[in-house]
Amino acid sequence: MRLLWNKFAQRLSDSGQKIMATYMQINDPVLQDDGFTIKLELPNEGSKVDFDNNKIDLLGYLRGKLHNHDIVVETHVNEVVEKKYAFTPEERYEKLKAINPALEVLRKTFDLDI
């Protein structure tokens, strides 16, 4: 399966479809135990949408070469949200309070507003 996967990626690259070929080579596809589900991790939601829109040719190629018409390719995003920034005064206060809980005592002692 991986040999055919890489062959198809090379064929795409040679024909000028370098973005799709790159998506296919970002991570190694994993064949699940059921024998027909191929899982591929992609770095973000945009690449997942683009890959899913263009995977029809890949499925036709793999199904024909492997003689298995039940093959499906599932894509998953492994994007991690970096940071959430605090913009309102309440969000800033909650963030600082999470870092130092004694801030709440200080606010109550001096009857401070947020």
Side-chain angles (χ1 to χ4, degrees):
M1 184 271 308
R2 281 194 184 160
L3 177 67
L4 291 173
W5 182 276
N6 291 332
K7 233 184 228 188
F8 190 78
Q10 185 60 46
R11 194 168 89 181
L12 286 174
S13 182
D14 293 343
S15 69
Q17 297 179 358
K18 297 200 183 289
I19 294 174
M20 184 66 175
T22 302
Y23 292 152
M24 290 179 66
Q25 295 170 335
I26 287 176
N27 288 319
D28 288 333
V30 177
L31 183 63
Q32 298 299 301
D33 293 335
D34 59 13
F36 60 87
T37 303
I38 301 169
K39 287 195 175 186
L40 178 67
E41 282 192 13
L42 294 171
N44 57 47
E45 192 64 35
S47 60
K48 178 186 184 309
V49 170
D50 198 21
F51 181 86
D52 286 344
N53 289 338
N54 294 303
K55 70 181 178 183
I56 295 168
D57 292 334
L58 170 65
L59 285 173
Y61 177 79
L62 291 175
R63 288 173 178 167
K65 293 290 185 178
L66 295 172
H67 305 290
N68 184 347
H69 295 281
D70 295 326
I71 291 176
V72 292
V73 177
E74 292 181 358
T75 52
H76 300 280
V77 176
N78 62 2
E79 181 177 41
V80 178
V81 176
E82 292 294 321
K83 292 181 182 179
K84 181 182 177 199
Y85 294 98
F87 294 106
T88 66
E90 291 82 13
E91 290 173 337
R92 288 184 196 138
Y93 174 73
E94 290 301 321
K95 183 164 177 63
L96 290 172
K97 189 170 81 171
I99 295 170
N100 186 355
L103 190 62
E104 180 67 20
V105 175
L106 182 67
R107 187 187 71 79
K108 285 182 180 178
T109 302
F110 292 104
D111 193 31
L112 299 172
D113 292 334
I114 298 176

